[in-house]
CSV table of all heavy atoms in Angstrom, one decimal:
chain,number,residue,atom,x,y,z
A,4,VAL,N,2.6,12.6,25.6
A,4,VAL,CA,3.6,12.5,26.6
A,4,VAL,C,4.7,11.4,26.2
A,4,VAL,O,5.9,11.6,26.3
A,4,VAL,CB,3.1,12.2,28.0
A,4,VAL,CG1,4.2,11.9,29.0
A,4,VAL,CG2,2.3,13.4,28.5
A,5,ARG,N,4.2,10.3,25.8
A,5,ARG,CA,5.1,9.2,25.4
A,5,ARG,C,5.9,9.6,24.2
A,5,ARG,O,7.1,9.3,24.1
A,5,ARG,CB,4.3,7.9,25.0
A,5,ARG,CG,3.7,7.3,26.2
A,5,ARG,CD,2.9,6.0,25.8
A,5,ARG,NE,3.8,5.1,25.2
A,5,ARG,CZ,3.4,3.9,24.6
A,5,ARG,NH1,2.1,3.6,24.6
A,5,ARG,NH2,4.3,3.1,24.1
A,6,PHE,N,5.3,10.3,23.2
A,6,PHE,CA,6.0,10.7,22.0
A,6,PHE,C,7.1,11.7,22.4
A,6,PHE,O,8.2,11.7,21.9
A,6,PHE,CB,5.0,11.4,21.1
A,6,PHE,CG,5.7,11.9,19.8
A,6,PHE,CD1,6.1,11.0,18.8
A,6,PHE,CD2,5.9,13.3,19.7
A,6,PHE,CE1,6.8,11.6,17.7
A,6,PHE,CE2,6.5,13.8,18.6
A,6,PHE,CZ,6.9,12.9,17.6
A,7,ILE,N,6.8,12.7,23.3
A,7,ILE,CA,7.7,13.7,23.7
A,7,ILE,C,8.9,13.0,24.4
A,7,ILE,O,10.1,13.4,24.2
A,7,ILE,CB,7.0,14.7,24.6
A,7,ILE,CG1,6.0,15.6,23.7
A,7,ILE,CG2,8.1,15.7,25.2
A,7,ILE,CD1,5.2,16.5,24.5
A,8,LEU,N,8.6,12.1,25.3
A,8,LEU,CA,9.6,11.4,26.0
A,8,LEU,C,10.6,10.6,25.1
A,8,LEU,O,11.8,10.7,25.3
A,8,LEU,CB,9.0,10.4,27.1
A,8,LEU,CG,8.4,11.0,28.3
A,8,LEU,CD1,7.7,10.0,29.1
A,8,LEU,CD2,9.4,11.8,29.1
A,9,LYS,N,10.0,10.0,24.1
A,9,LYS,CA,10.9,9.3,23.1
A,9,LYS,C,11.8,10.3,22.4
A,9,LYS,O,13.0,10.0,22.2
A,9,LYS,CB,10.0,8.6,22.1
A,9,LYS,CG,9.3,7.4,22.6
A,9,LYS,CD,8.5,6.7,21.5
A,9,LYS,CE,7.9,5.4,22.0
A,9,LYS,NZ,7.1,4.7,21.0
A,10,VAL,N,11.3,11.4,22.0
A,10,VAL,CA,12.1,12.4,21.3
A,10,VAL,C,13.2,12.9,22.2
A,10,VAL,O,14.4,13.0,21.8
A,10,VAL,CB,11.2,13.6,20.8
A,10,VAL,CG1,12.1,14.7,20.3
A,10,VAL,CG2,10.2,13.2,19.7
A,11,ILE,N,12.9,13.2,23.5
A,11,ILE,CA,13.9,13.6,24.4
A,11,ILE,C,15.0,12.6,24.6
A,11,ILE,O,16.2,12.9,24.6
A,11,ILE,CB,13.2,14.0,25.8
A,11,ILE,CG1,12.3,15.2,25.6
A,11,ILE,CG2,14.3,14.3,26.8
A,11,ILE,CD1,11.5,15.6,26.8
A,12,LEU,N,14.6,11.3,24.7
A,12,LEU,CA,15.6,10.3,24.9
A,12,LEU,C,16.5,10.1,23.7
A,12,LEU,O,17.7,9.9,23.8
A,12,LEU,CB,14.9,8.9,25.2
A,12,LEU,CG,14.2,8.8,26.5
A,12,LEU,CD1,13.4,7.5,26.6
A,12,LEU,CD2,15.3,8.9,27.6
A,13,ILE,N,15.9,10.3,22.5
A,13,ILE,CA,16.7,10.2,21.3
A,13,ILE,C,17.7,11.3,21.2
A,13,ILE,O,18.9,11.1,20.9
A,13,ILE,CB,15.8,10.2,20.0
A,13,ILE,CG1,15.0,8.9,20.0
A,13,ILE,CG2,16.6,10.3,18.7
A,13,ILE,CD1,14.0,8.8,18.9
A,14,ILE,N,17.3,12.5,21.5
A,14,ILE,CA,18.2,13.7,21.5
A,14,ILE,C,19.3,13.5,22.5
A,14,ILE,O,20.5,13.7,22.2
A,14,ILE,CB,17.4,15.0,21.8
A,14,ILE,CG1,16.4,15.2,20.7
A,14,ILE,CG2,18.3,16.1,22.0
A,14,ILE,CD1,15.5,16.4,20.9
A,15,LEU,N,19.0,13.0,23.7
A,15,LEU,CA,20.0,12.8,24.7
A,15,LEU,C,21.0,11.7,24.3
A,15,LEU,O,22.2,11.9,24.5
A,15,LEU,CB,19.3,12.4,26.1
A,15,LEU,CG,18.5,13.5,26.8
A,15,LEU,CD1,17.9,12.9,28.0
A,15,LEU,CD2,19.5,14.6,27.2
A,16,LEU,N,20.5,10.7,23.6
A,16,LEU,CA,21.4,9.6,23.2
A,16,LEU,C,22.3,10.2,22.1
A,16,LEU,O,23.5,9.9,22.1
A,16,LEU,CB,20.5,8.5,22.6
A,16,LEU,CG,21.3,7.3,22.1
A,16,LEU,CD1,22.2,6.7,23.3
A,16,LEU,CD2,20.4,6.2,21.6
A,17,VAL,N,21.8,11.0,21.2
A,17,VAL,CA,22.7,11.5,20.1
A,17,VAL,C,23.7,12.4,20.7
A,17,VAL,O,24.9,12.4,20.3
A,17,VAL,CB,21.8,12.3,19.1
A,17,VAL,CG1,22.7,13.1,18.1
A,17,VAL,CG2,20.9,11.3,18.3
A,18,VAL,N,23.3,13.3,21.7
A,18,VAL,CA,24.3,14.2,22.3
A,18,VAL,C,25.4,13.4,23.0
A,18,VAL,O,26.6,13.7,23.0
A,18,VAL,CB,23.5,15.1,23.3
A,18,VAL,CG1,24.6,15.9,24.1
A,18,VAL,CG2,22.6,16.1,22.5
A,19,LEU,N,25.0,12.3,23.7
A,19,LEU,CA,25.9,11.5,24.4
A,19,LEU,C,26.9,10.8,23.5
A,19,LEU,O,28.1,10.8,23.8
A,19,LEU,CB,25.2,10.4,25.2
A,19,LEU,CG,26.1,9.4,26.1
A,19,LEU,CD1,26.9,10.2,27.1
A,19,LEU,CD2,25.2,8.4,26.7
A,20,ILE,N,26.4,10.3,22.3
A,20,ILE,CA,27.3,9.7,21.4
A,20,ILE,C,28.3,10.7,20.8
A,20,ILE,O,29.5,10.5,20.7
A,20,ILE,CB,26.5,9.1,20.2
A,20,ILE,CG1,25.7,7.9,20.7
A,20,ILE,CG2,27.4,8.6,19.1
A,20,ILE,CD1,24.8,7.3,19.7
A,21,ILE,N,27.9,11.9,20.5
A,21,ILE,CA,28.7,13.0,19.9
A,21,ILE,C,29.8,13.3,21.0
A,21,ILE,O,31.0,13.5,20.7
A,21,ILE,CB,27.9,14.2,19.5
A,21,ILE,CG1,27.0,13.9,18.3
A,21,ILE,CG2,28.8,15.4,19.2
A,21,ILE,CD1,26.1,15.0,17.9
A,22,PHE,N,29.4,13.4,22.2
A,22,PHE,CA,30.3,13.8,23.3
A,22,PHE,C,31.4,12.7,23.5
A,22,PHE,O,32.6,13.0,23.6
A,22,PHE,CB,29.5,13.9,24.6
A,22,PHE,CG,30.4,14.1,25.8
A,22,PHE,CD1,31.0,15.4,26.1
A,22,PHE,CD2,30.7,13.1,26.7
A,22,PHE,CE1,31.8,15.5,27.2
A,22,PHE,CE2,31.5,13.2,27.8
A,22,PHE,CZ,32.1,14.5,28.0
A,23,LEU,N,31.0,11.5,23.4
A,23,LEU,CA,32.0,10.4,23.6
A,23,LEU,C,32.9,10.4,22.4
A,23,LEU,O,34.1,10.1,22.5
A,23,LEU,CB,31.3,9.0,23.7
A,23,LEU,CG,30.5,8.8,25.0
A,23,LEU,CD1,29.7,7.5,24.9
A,23,LEU,CD2,31.4,8.8,26.2
A,24,VAL,N,32.4,10.6,21.2
A,24,VAL,CA,33.3,10.6,20.0
A,24,VAL,C,34.3,11.7,20.1
A,24,VAL,O,35.5,11.4,19.8
A,24,VAL,CB,32.5,10.7,18.7
A,24,VAL,CG1,33.4,11.0,17.5
A,24,VAL,CG2,31.6,9.4,18.4
A,25,PHE,N,33.9,12.9,20.4
A,25,PHE,CA,34.8,14.0,20.5
A,25,PHE,C,35.8,13.8,21.6
A,25,PHE,O,37.0,14.2,21.5
A,25,PHE,CB,34.1,15.3,20.7
A,25,PHE,CG,33.6,15.9,19.4
A,25,PHE,CD1,32.4,15.7,18.9
A,25,PHE,CD2,34.5,16.7,18.7
A,25,PHE,CE1,32.0,16.2,17.7
A,25,PHE,CE2,34.1,17.3,17.5
A,25,PHE,CZ,32.9,17.0,17.0
A,26,LYS,N,35.4,13.2,22.7
A,26,LYS,CA,36.3,12.9,23.8
A,26,LYS,C,37.4,11.9,23.4
A,26,LYS,O,38.6,12.2,23.8
A,26,LYS,CB,35.5,12.4,25.0
A,26,LYS,CG,36.3,12.3,26.3
A,26,LYS,CD,35.5,11.9,27.5
A,26,LYS,CE,36.3,11.8,28.7
A,26,LYS,NZ,35.5,11.4,29.9
A,27,ILE,N,37.0,10.9,22.7
A,27,ILE,CA,38.0,9.9,22.3
A,27,ILE,C,38.9,10.5,21.3
A,27,ILE,O,40.1,10.3,21.4
A,27,ILE,CB,37.3,8.6,21.7
A,27,ILE,CG1,36.5,7.9,22.8
A,27,ILE,CG2,38.3,7.7,21.0
A,27,ILE,CD1,35.6,6.8,22.2
A,28,LYS,N,38.4,11.3,20.3
A,28,LYS,CA,39.3,11.9,19.3
A,28,LYS,C,40.2,12.9,20.0
A,28,LYS,O,41.4,12.9,19.7
A,28,LYS,CB,38.4,12.6,18.3
A,28,LYS,CG,39.2,13.2,17.2
A,28,LYS,CD,38.2,13.8,16.2
A,28,LYS,CE,39.0,14.4,15.0
A,28,LYS,NZ,38.1,15.1,14.0
A,29,ASN,N,39.8,13.7,20.9
A,29,ASN,CA,40.6,14.6,21.6
A,29,ASN,C,41.7,13.9,22.4
A,29,ASN,O,42.8,14.4,22.5
A,29,ASN,CB,39.8,15.6,22.5
A,29,ASN,CG,39.0,16.5,21.7
A,29,ASN,OD1,39.3,16.8,20.6
A,29,ASN,ND2,37.9,17.0,22.3
A,30,LYS,N,41.3,12.8,23.0
A,30,LYS,CA,42.3,12.0,23.8
A,30,LYS,C,43.4,11.4,22.9
A,30,LYS,O,44.5,11.5,23.2
A,30,LYS,CB,41.5,10.8,24.5
A,30,LYS,CG,42.5,10.0,25.4
A,30,LYS,CD,41.7,8.9,26.0
A,30,LYS,CE,42.6,8.1,26.9
A,30,LYS,NZ,41.9,7.0,27.6
A,31,ASN,N,43.0,11.0,21.7
A,31,ASN,CA,44.0,10.4,20.7
A,31,ASN,C,44.9,11.6,20.2
A,31,ASN,O,46.1,11.4,20.1
A,31,ASN,CB,43.3,9.8,19.5
A,31,ASN,CG,42.6,8.5,19.9
A,31,ASN,OD1,43.0,7.9,20.9
A,31,ASN,ND2,41.6,8.1,19.1
A,32,ILE,N,44.3,12.7,20.0
A,32,ILE,CA,45.1,13.8,19.5
A,32,ILE,C,46.1,14.3,20.6
A,32,ILE,O,47.2,14.5,20.3
A,32,ILE,CB,44.2,15.0,19.1
A,32,ILE,CG1,43.4,14.6,17.8
A,32,ILE,CG2,45.0,16.3,18.8
A,32,ILE,CD1,42.4,15.7,17.4
A,33,SER,N,45.6,14.3,21.8
A,33,SER,CA,46.4,14.7,22.9
A,33,SER,C,47.5,13.7,23.1
A,33,SER,O,48.7,14.0,23.4
A,33,SER,CB,45.6,14.8,24.2
A,33,SER,OG,46.4,15.1,25.3
A,34,SER,N,47.2,12.4,23.0
A,34,SER,CA,48.2,11.3,23.1
A,34,SER,C,49.2,11.4,22.0
A,34,SER,O,50.4,11.3,22.2
A,34,SER,CB,47.5,10.0,23.1
A,34,SER,OG,48.5,9.0,23.1
A,35,ASN,N,48.8,11.7,20.8
A,35,ASN,CA,49.7,11.8,19.6
A,35,ASN,C,50.6,13.0,19.8
A,35,ASN,O,51.8,13.0,19.5
A,35,ASN,CB,49.0,11.9,18.3
A,35,ASN,CG,48.3,10.6,17.9
A,35,ASN,OD1,48.8,9.5,18.4
A,35,ASN,ND2,47.2,10.7,17.1
A,36,ASN,N,50.0,14.1,20.3
A,36,ASN,CA,50.9,15.3,20.5
A,36,ASN,C,51.9,15.1,21.6
A,36,ASN,O,53.0,15.6,21.6
A,36,ASN,CB,50.0,16.5,20.9
A,36,ASN,CG,49.2,17.0,19.7
A,36,ASN,OD1,49.6,16.7,18.5
A,36,ASN,ND2,48.1,17.6,19.9
A,37,LYS,N,51.5,14.3,22.6
A,37,LYS,CA,52.4,14.0,23.7
A,37,LYS,C,53.5,13.1,23.2
A,37,LYS,O,54.7,13.3,23.6
A,37,LYS,CB,51.6,13.4,24.8
A,37,LYS,CG,52.5,13.1,26.1
A,37,LYS,CD,51.7,12.5,27.2
A,37,LYS,CE,52.5,12.3,28.4
A,37,LYS,NZ,51.7,11.7,29.5
A,38,ASP,N,53.2,12.1,22.4
A,38,ASP,CA,54.2,11.1,22.0
A,38,ASP,C,55.0,11.7,20.9
A,38,ASP,O,56.2,11.3,20.7
A,38,ASP,CB,53.5,9.8,21.5
A,38,ASP,CG,52.8,9.1,22.7
A,38,ASP,OD1,53.2,9.4,23.8
A,38,ASP,OD2,51.9,8.3,22.4
A,39,ASN,N,54.5,12.5,20.0
A,39,ASN,CA,55.2,13.0,18.8
A,39,ASN,C,55.4,14.5,18.9
A,39,ASN,O,55.2,15.2,17.9
A,39,ASN,CB,54.4,12.6,17.5
A,39,ASN,CG,54.2,11.2,17.4
A,39,ASN,OD1,55.1,10.4,17.7
A,39,ASN,ND2,53.0,10.8,17.1
A,40,LYS,N,55.8,15.0,20.0
A,40,LYS,CA,56.0,16.4,20.2
A,40,LYS,C,57.2,16.9,19.5
A,40,LYS,O,58.3,16.3,19.6
A,40,LYS,CB,56.2,16.7,21.7
A,40,LYS,CG,56.2,18.2,22.0
A,40,LYS,CD,56.3,18.4,23.5
A,40,LYS,CE,56.4,19.9,23.8
A,40,LYS,NZ,56.5,20.1,25.2
A,41,ILE,N,57.0,17.8,18.6
A,41,ILE,CA,58.1,18.4,17.8
A,41,ILE,C,58.3,19.8,18.0
A,41,ILE,O,57.3,20.6,18.0
A,41,ILE,CB,57.8,18.1,16.3
A,41,ILE,CG1,57.6,16.6,16.0
A,41,ILE,CG2,58.9,18.7,15.4
A,41,ILE,CD1,57.3,16.3,14.6
A,42,SER,N,59.5,20.2,18.3
A,42,SER,CA,59.7,21.6,18.6
A,42,SER,C,59.7,22.5,17.4
A,42,SER,O,59.7,22.0,16.2
A,42,SER,CB,61.1,21.8,19.2
A,42,SER,OG,62.1,21.4,18.3
A,43,VAL,N,59.6,23.8,17.6
A,43,VAL,CA,59.6,24.7,16.4
A,43,VAL,C,60.9,24.6,15.6
A,43,VAL,O,60.9,24.7,14.4
A,43,VAL,CB,59.3,26.1,16.9
A,43,VAL,CG1,59.4,27.1,15.8
A,43,VAL,CG2,58.0,26.2,17.6
A,44,LEU,N,62.0,24.4,16.4
A,44,LEU,CA,63.3,24.3,15.7
A,44,LEU,C,63.3,23.1,14.8
A,44,LEU,O,63.7,23.2,13.6
A,44,LEU,CB,64.4,24.2,16.7
A,44,LEU,CG,65.8,24.0,16.2
A,44,LEU,CD1,66.2,25.2,15.3
A,44,LEU,CD2,66.8,23.8,17.3
């Protein structure tokens, strides 16, 4: 039980880190697109 709980906690922690990284990156991309918006023309 202790081993399984550790594995589950590690998996959750990795998922959380990945989620935060992608969220920050998407936020930066969104900000850059907003600040540096260039028309097709």
Side-chain angles (χ1 to χ4, degrees):
V4 170
R5 288 182 61 187
F6 178 76
I7 293 172
L8 288 175
K9 287 183 179 179
V10 172
I11 293 174
L12 287 175
I13 291 173
I14 294 174
L15 290 176
L16 182 60
V17 171
V18 172
L19 180 61
I20 291 174
I21 294 174
F22 173 76
L23 291 176
V24 169
F25 275 93
K26 186 174 181 181
I27 293 173
K28 184 176 181 181
N29 290 334
K30 183 178 180 181
N31 291 336
I32 293 175
S33 177
S34 176
N35 289 335
N36 289 337
K37 183 177 181 181
D38 295 338
N39 303 314
K40 186 176 181 181
I41 300 177
S42 65
V43 175
L44 178 59

